[in-house]
Coordinates of all heavy atoms in Angstrom, one line a residue:
V238 N 13.7 5.6 -0.4 CA 12.2 5.3 -0.3 C 11.9 4.8 1.1 O 12.7 4.0 1.6 CB 11.8 4.3 -1.4 CG1 10.3 4.0 -1.2 CG2 12.0 4.9 -2.8
L239 N 10.8 5.2 1.6 CA 10.3 4.7 2.9 C 8.9 4.0 2.6 O 8.0 4.7 2.0 CB 10.1 5.8 3.9 CG 9.4 5.3 5.2 CD1 10.3 4.3 6.0 CD2 9.1 6.5 6.1
L240 N 8.8 2.7 2.9 CA 7.5 2.0 2.7 C 6.9 1.8 4.1 O 7.5 1.1 4.9 CB 7.7 0.7 2.0 CG 8.5 0.8 0.6 CD1 8.7 -0.7 0.1 CD2 7.6 1.5 -0.4
E241 N 5.6 2.2 4.3 CA 4.9 2.0 5.5 C 3.8 1.0 5.3 O 3.0 1.2 4.3 CB 4.4 3.3 6.1 CG 5.5 4.3 6.5 CD 5.0 5.6 7.0 OE1 3.8 5.9 6.7 OE2 5.7 6.3 7.8
F242 N 3.7 0.0 6.1 CA 2.7 -1.1 5.9 C 1.6 -1.0 7.0 O 1.9 -0.8 8.2 CB 3.4 -2.4 6.0 CG 4.3 -2.7 4.9 CD1 5.6 -2.1 4.9 CD2 4.0 -3.5 3.8 CE1 6.5 -2.4 3.8 CE2 4.9 -3.8 2.8 CZ 6.1 -3.2 2.8
Y243 N 0.4 -1.2 6.5 CA -0.8 -1.2 7.4 C -1.6 -2.5 7.2 O -1.8 -3.0 6.1 CB -1.7 0.0 7.1 CG -1.0 1.3 7.3 CD1 -0.2 1.9 6.3 CD2 -1.1 2.0 8.6 CE1 0.5 3.1 6.5 CE2 -0.4 3.2 8.8 CZ 0.4 3.7 7.8 OH 1.1 4.9 8.0
Y244 N -2.1 -3.1 8.4 CA -2.8 -4.4 8.4 C -4.2 -4.2 8.7 O -4.6 -3.3 9.5 CB -2.1 -5.3 9.4 CG -0.8 -5.9 9.0 CD1 0.4 -5.2 9.1 CD2 -0.8 -7.2 8.5 CE1 1.6 -5.8 8.7 CE2 0.4 -7.8 8.1 CZ 1.6 -7.1 8.2 OH 2.8 -7.7 7.9
T245 N -5.0 -5.1 8.2 CA -6.4 -5.4 8.7 C -6.3 -6.9 9.1 O -6.3 -7.8 8.2 CB -7.5 -5.1 7.7 OG1 -7.4 -3.8 7.3 CG2 -8.8 -5.5 8.3
G246 N -6.3 -7.2 10.4 CA -6.1 -8.6 10.8 C -4.7 -9.0 10.4 O -3.7 -8.4 10.7
D247 N -4.6 -10.1 9.6 CA -3.3 -10.6 9.2 C -3.0 -10.3 7.7 O -2.1 -10.8 7.1 CB -3.2 -12.1 9.4 CG -3.0 -12.5 10.8 OD1 -2.5 -11.6 11.6 OD2 -3.3 -13.7 11.2
L248 N -3.8 -9.4 7.1 CA -3.7 -9.0 5.7 C -3.1 -7.6 5.6 O -3.6 -6.7 6.3 CB -5.0 -9.1 5.0 CG -5.7 -10.5 4.9 CD1 -7.1 -10.4 4.3 CD2 -4.8 -11.4 4.1
I249 N -2.2 -7.4 4.7 CA -1.6 -6.1 4.5 C -2.6 -5.4 3.5 O -2.8 -5.8 2.4 CB -0.2 -6.2 3.8 CG1 0.7 -6.8 4.8 CG2 0.2 -4.8 3.4 CD1 2.1 -7.1 4.2
T250 N -3.3 -4.3 4.0 CA -4.3 -3.7 3.2 C -3.9 -2.3 2.7 O -4.6 -1.7 1.9 CB -5.6 -3.6 4.0 OG1 -5.3 -3.0 5.3 CG2 -6.2 -4.9 4.2
K251 N -2.8 -1.8 3.1 CA -2.3 -0.5 2.6 C -0.8 -0.4 2.8 O -0.2 -0.8 3.8 CB -3.0 0.7 3.4 CG -2.6 2.0 2.8 CD -3.5 3.2 3.4 CE -3.1 3.5 4.9 NZ -3.8 4.7 5.3
I252 N -0.2 0.2 1.7 CA 1.2 0.5 1.8 C 1.4 1.9 1.3 O 0.9 2.3 0.2 CB 2.1 -0.4 0.9 CG1 1.9 -1.9 1.3 CG2 3.6 0.0 0.9 CD1 2.7 -2.9 0.4
V253 N 2.0 2.7 2.1 CA 2.3 4.1 1.7 C 3.8 4.2 1.3 O 4.7 3.9 2.1 CB 2.0 5.1 2.9 CG1 2.4 6.5 2.5 CG2 0.6 5.0 3.3
E254 N 4.0 4.6 0.1 CA 5.4 4.7 -0.5 C 5.8 6.2 -0.5 O 5.1 7.0 -1.2 CB 5.4 4.2 -1.9 CG 4.9 2.7 -2.1 CD 4.9 2.3 -3.5 OE1 4.8 3.2 -4.4 OE2 4.9 1.1 -3.8
F255 N 6.8 6.5 0.2 CA 7.3 7.9 0.2 C 8.7 8.0 -0.5 O 9.7 7.4 0.0 CB 7.4 8.5 1.6 CG 7.8 9.9 1.7 CD1 7.0 10.9 1.2 CD2 9.1 10.2 2.1 CE1 7.4 12.3 1.3 CE2 9.5 11.6 2.2 CZ 8.7 12.6 1.8
N256 N 8.8 8.7 -1.6 CA 10.0 8.9 -2.3 C 10.8 10.1 -1.6 O 10.3 11.2 -1.7 CB 9.8 9.2 -3.8 CG 11.0 9.2 -4.6 OD1 12.0 9.8 -4.2 ND2 11.0 8.6 -5.8
K257 N 11.9 9.8 -1.0 CA 12.6 10.8 -0.2 C 13.2 11.8 -1.1 O 13.4 13.0 -0.7 CB 13.6 10.2 0.7 CG 13.1 9.2 1.7 CD 14.2 8.6 2.5 CE 13.7 7.5 3.5 NZ 14.8 6.8 4.2
L258 N 13.6 11.4 -2.3 CA 14.3 12.3 -3.2 C 13.4 13.3 -3.9 O 13.7 14.5 -4.1 CB 15.1 11.5 -4.3 CG 16.1 10.5 -3.8 CD1 16.8 9.8 -4.9 CD2 17.2 11.2 -2.9
A259 N 12.2 12.8 -4.3 CA 11.2 13.6 -5.0 C 10.1 14.2 -4.1 O 9.2 14.9 -4.6 CB 10.6 12.8 -6.2
S260 N 10.2 13.8 -2.8 CA 9.1 14.2 -1.9 C 7.7 13.9 -2.4 O 6.8 14.6 -2.3 CB 9.2 15.7 -1.6 OG 10.5 16.0 -1.0
H261 N 7.6 12.6 -3.0 CA 6.4 12.2 -3.6 C 5.8 11.0 -2.8 O 6.6 10.1 -2.4 CB 6.6 11.8 -5.0 CG 5.3 11.2 -5.6 ND1 4.2 11.9 -6.0 CD2 5.0 9.9 -6.0 CE1 3.3 11.1 -6.5 NE2 3.8 9.9 -6.5
K262 N 4.5 11.1 -2.5 CA 3.9 10.0 -1.7 C 2.8 9.3 -2.6 O 2.0 9.9 -3.2 CB 3.2 10.5 -0.4 CG 2.6 9.4 0.4 CD 2.2 10.0 1.8 CE 1.0 10.8 1.7 NZ 0.5 11.2 3.1
N263 N 2.9 8.0 -2.6 CA 1.9 7.2 -3.3 C 1.3 6.1 -2.3 O 2.1 5.5 -1.6 CB 2.6 6.4 -4.5 CG 1.6 5.5 -5.2 OD1 0.4 5.9 -5.4 ND2 2.1 4.4 -5.6
T264 N 0.0 6.0 -2.3 CA -0.7 5.1 -1.4 C -1.3 3.9 -2.2 O -2.0 4.2 -3.2 CB -1.8 5.8 -0.6 OG1 -1.2 6.8 0.2 CG2 -2.5 4.8 0.3
L265 N -1.0 2.7 -1.8 CA -1.5 1.5 -2.5 C -2.5 0.9 -1.5 O -2.2 0.5 -0.4 CB -0.4 0.5 -2.8 CG 0.7 1.0 -3.7 CD1 1.8 -0.1 -3.8 CD2 0.2 1.3 -5.1
E266 N -3.7 0.7 -2.0 CA -4.8 0.0 -1.3 C -5.0 -1.4 -1.8 O -5.2 -1.6 -3.0 CB -6.1 0.8 -1.4 CG -6.0 2.3 -0.9 CD -6.2 2.4 0.6 OE1 -6.4 1.4 1.3 OE2 -6.0 3.6 1.1
Y267 N -4.9 -2.4 -0.9 CA -5.0 -3.8 -1.3 C -6.4 -4.4 -0.9 O -6.8 -4.2 0.3 CB -3.9 -4.6 -0.7 CG -2.5 -4.3 -1.2 CD1 -1.9 -3.1 -0.8 CD2 -1.9 -5.1 -2.1 CE1 -0.6 -2.8 -1.3 CE2 -0.6 -4.9 -2.5 CZ 0.0 -3.7 -2.1 OH 1.3 -3.4 -2.6
S268 N -7.1 -5.0 -1.8 CA -8.4 -5.6 -1.5 C -8.3 -7.1 -1.7 O -7.6 -7.6 -2.6 CB -9.5 -5.1 -2.4 OG -9.6 -3.7 -2.3
Y269 N -9.0 -7.9 -0.8 CA -8.9 -9.4 -0.8 C -10.3 -10.0 -0.9 O -11.3 -9.3 -0.5 CB -8.2 -9.9 0.4 CG -6.8 -9.3 0.6 CD1 -6.5 -8.1 1.1 CD2 -5.7 -10.1 0.2 CE1 -5.2 -7.6 1.3 CE2 -4.4 -9.7 0.4 CZ -4.2 -8.4 0.9 OH -2.9 -7.9 1.1
S270 N -10.4 -11.2 -1.3 CA -11.6 -12.0 -1.3 C -11.2 -13.4 -0.8 O -10.3 -14.1 -1.4 CB -12.3 -12.1 -2.6 OG -13.4 -13.0 -2.6
D271 N -11.7 -13.8 0.3 CA -11.4 -15.1 0.9 C -9.8 -15.2 1.1 O -9.2 -16.3 0.9 CB -11.8 -16.3 0.0 CG -13.4 -16.4 -0.1 OD1 -14.0 -16.0 0.9 OD2 -13.9 -16.7 -1.1
G272 N -9.2 -14.1 1.5 CA -7.8 -14.1 1.8 C -6.9 -14.0 0.6 O -5.7 -14.1 0.7
K273 N -7.5 -13.9 -0.6 CA -6.7 -13.8 -1.8 C -6.8 -12.4 -2.4 O -7.9 -11.8 -2.5 CB -7.2 -14.8 -2.9 CG -7.1 -16.3 -2.4 CD -7.7 -17.2 -3.5 CE -7.5 -18.7 -3.1 NZ -8.1 -19.6 -4.1
L274 N -5.6 -11.9 -2.8 CA -5.6 -10.5 -3.4 C -6.4 -10.4 -4.7 O -6.2 -11.2 -5.6 CB -4.1 -10.1 -3.6 CG -3.9 -8.7 -4.2 CD1 -4.3 -7.7 -3.1 CD2 -2.4 -8.5 -4.5
T275 N -7.2 -9.4 -4.8 CA -8.1 -9.2 -6.0 C -7.9 -7.9 -6.6 O -8.1 -7.7 -7.8 CB -9.6 -9.4 -5.6 OG1 -9.9 -8.4 -4.6 CG2 -9.9 -10.8 -5.2
K276 N -7.4 -6.9 -5.9 CA -7.2 -5.5 -6.5 C -6.2 -4.7 -5.7 O -6.1 -4.8 -4.5 CB -8.6 -4.8 -6.5 CG -8.6 -3.5 -7.2 CD -9.9 -2.7 -7.0 CE -11.0 -3.4 -7.8 NZ -10.9 -3.1 -9.3
I277 N -5.4 -3.9 -6.5 CA -4.6 -2.9 -5.9 C -5.0 -1.6 -6.6 O -5.0 -1.4 -7.8 CB -3.1 -3.2 -6.2 CG1 -2.7 -4.5 -5.7 CG2 -2.2 -2.1 -5.6 CD1 -1.2 -4.9 -6.0
I278 N -5.3 -0.6 -5.7 CA -5.6 0.8 -6.2 C -4.5 1.7 -5.8 O -4.2 1.8 -4.6 CB -7.0 1.3 -5.7 CG1 -8.1 0.3 -6.1 CG2 -7.2 2.7 -6.2 CD1 -9.4 0.7 -5.6
S279 N -3.9 2.4 -6.7 CA -2.8 3.3 -6.5 C -3.3 4.8 -6.5 O -4.0 5.1 -7.5 CB -1.7 3.1 -7.4 OG -0.7 4.2 -7.4
S280 N -2.9 5.6 -5.6 CA -3.2 7.0 -5.7 C -2.5 7.7 -6.8 O -2.8 8.9 -7.2 CB -2.8 7.7 -4.3 OG -1.4 7.6 -4.1
D281 N -1.5 7.0 -7.4 CA -0.8 7.6 -8.6 C -1.7 7.4 -9.9 O -1.2 7.7 -11.0 CB 0.5 6.9 -8.8 CG 1.6 7.7 -8.0 OD1 1.3 8.8 -7.5 OD2 2.8 7.2 -7.9
G282 N -2.8 6.8 -9.8 CA -3.7 6.7 -10.9 C -3.8 5.4 -11.7 O -4.1 5.4 -12.9

């Protein structure tokens, strides 16, 4: 697995997970309020 991290300021707001064996990619979107995590949305549903 390869995990790629993306920031907005000092907050991690996206992680792209790539499964090398299954050639499957899943994107996780992270949302915050006042610096606290409130939601994760996965492209896997």
Side-chain angles (χ1 to χ4, degrees):
V238 176
L239 175 66
L240 304 175
E241 296 180 337
F242 293 77
Y243 298 85
Y244 283 81
T245 300
D247 287 338
L248 296 174
I249 296 171
T250 50
K251 183 169 74 171
I252 301 177
V253 177
E254 304 174 339
F255 182 72
N256 187 317
K257 299 176 183 178
L258 302 180
S260 298
H261 174 73
K262 184 170 73 173
N263 177 40
T264 300
L265 300 174
E266 302 278 355
Y267 292 76
S268 299
Y269 302 82
S270 177
D271 296 326
K273 297 179 179 179
L274 182 64
T275 56
K276 184 186 289 286
I277 302 174
I278 300 177
S279 168
S280 62
D281 272 351

